Amino acid sequence: MGLFGGDRSQAETTAQLPVPEYEHFPTDTYCIACAVAVSQEEVTAFRELLEKETATTTVVEQSTFLSRELDGELQIQQTEEDVAAFVHELVETWEGQIDGDPSAVWWPLESDWRVALYMRYCRARAEHETDEFDCTERIERVRTLVSRCEAASENAAKRGVVHRDRVPGERAK
């Protein structure tokens, strides 16, 4: 009996050790992001959409489009360079994170409006009669990917604490 009694008291002592309720991560180097499964083909389609959009001359000026779109919805200062730069960084970061097919990439929680705005711009260009840009099949493929990312951002189980260097648009300060 004495043998079992000694083990039990040691187990009770171990169980009573203080356990921190949560870990603190510095907000200047970590942020919350969502893990999203993507395929190489989807990221390639996104890259091709970006390249085609920037390589063709436009009838629908992005600055005019953005000022019209942002005026009614958001009260912020956003330039075409900001939106385009973010979307380019998003694709470049994802390309660096892909290590198989499918792969998991990080989707910044606050990014959906910028990508959605860029997608509306691409659709407006594709639908314009005199614009050279025609990338309808890629737009649909990327729209499906973005919809999956937006759905993931609504699911708390897909969120994680991630170093800012791994999340597009969230570089460490």
Side-chain angles (χ1 to χ4, degrees):
M1 288 291 261
L3 179 65
F4 292 113
D7 289 337
R8 185 170 166 231
S9 65
Q10 184 179 8
E12 287 176 4
T13 307
T14 305
Q16 295 173 4
L17 291 176
V19 177
E21 289 184 29
Y22 52 88
E23 189 79 26
H24 290 281
F25 294 93
T27 57
D28 59 335
T29 52
Y30 291 91
C31 66
I32 304 294
C34 296
V36 179
V38 299
S39 69
Q40 179 68 47
E41 290 176 7
E42 291 171 323
V43 176
T44 301
F46 210 156
R47 167 61 70 194
E48 290 170 356
L49 178 69
L50 284 170
E51 289 173 355
K52 178 97 175 179
E53 189 273 316
T54 55
T56 57
T57 57
T58 182
V59 175
V60 181
E61 288 297 325
Q62 195 176 68
S63 57
T64 307
F65 177 82
L66 287 177
S67 65
R68 185 178 69 236
E69 289 289 318
L70 292 177
D71 232 13
E73 294 181 22
L74 302 169
Q75 300 299 321
I76 62 169
Q77 294 295 322
Q78 187 74 25
T79 65
E80 61 185 287
E81 292 84 22
D82 295 338
V83 172
F86 173 76
V87 175
H88 281 279
E89 182 182 348
L90 179 80
V91 172
E92 288 173 6
T93 303
W94 284 0
E95 287 172 337
Q97 291 174 350
I98 291 179
D99 59 358
D101 204 18
S103 289
V105 295
W106 293 107
W107 172 257
L109 288 180
E110 304 287 324
S111 66
D112 53 348
W113 68 270
R114 289 181 283 191
V115 177
L117 187 62
Y118 182 76
M119 296 305 295
R120 285 197 307 245
Y121 172 68
C122 288
R123 185 165 305 285
R125 282 195 63 192
E127 292 172 353
H128 198 279
E129 298 166 359
T130 58
D131 199 309
E132 293 178 14
F133 181 69
D134 183 28
C135 217
T136 309
E137 71 179 48
R138 288 187 192 108
I139 290 173
E140 287 305 311
R141 182 120 196 194
V142 173
R143 187 191 60 73
T144 302
L145 170 61
V146 171
S147 295
R148 189 175 337 115
C149 293
E150 290 170 344
S153 69
E154 295 172 6
N155 184 351
K158 300 211 180 229
R159 295 179 184 175
V161 178
V162 185
H163 196 279
R164 288 185 181 272
D165 289 343
R166 304 284 298 156
V167 181
E170 297 285 341
R171 296 291 173 224
K173 298 171 186 169

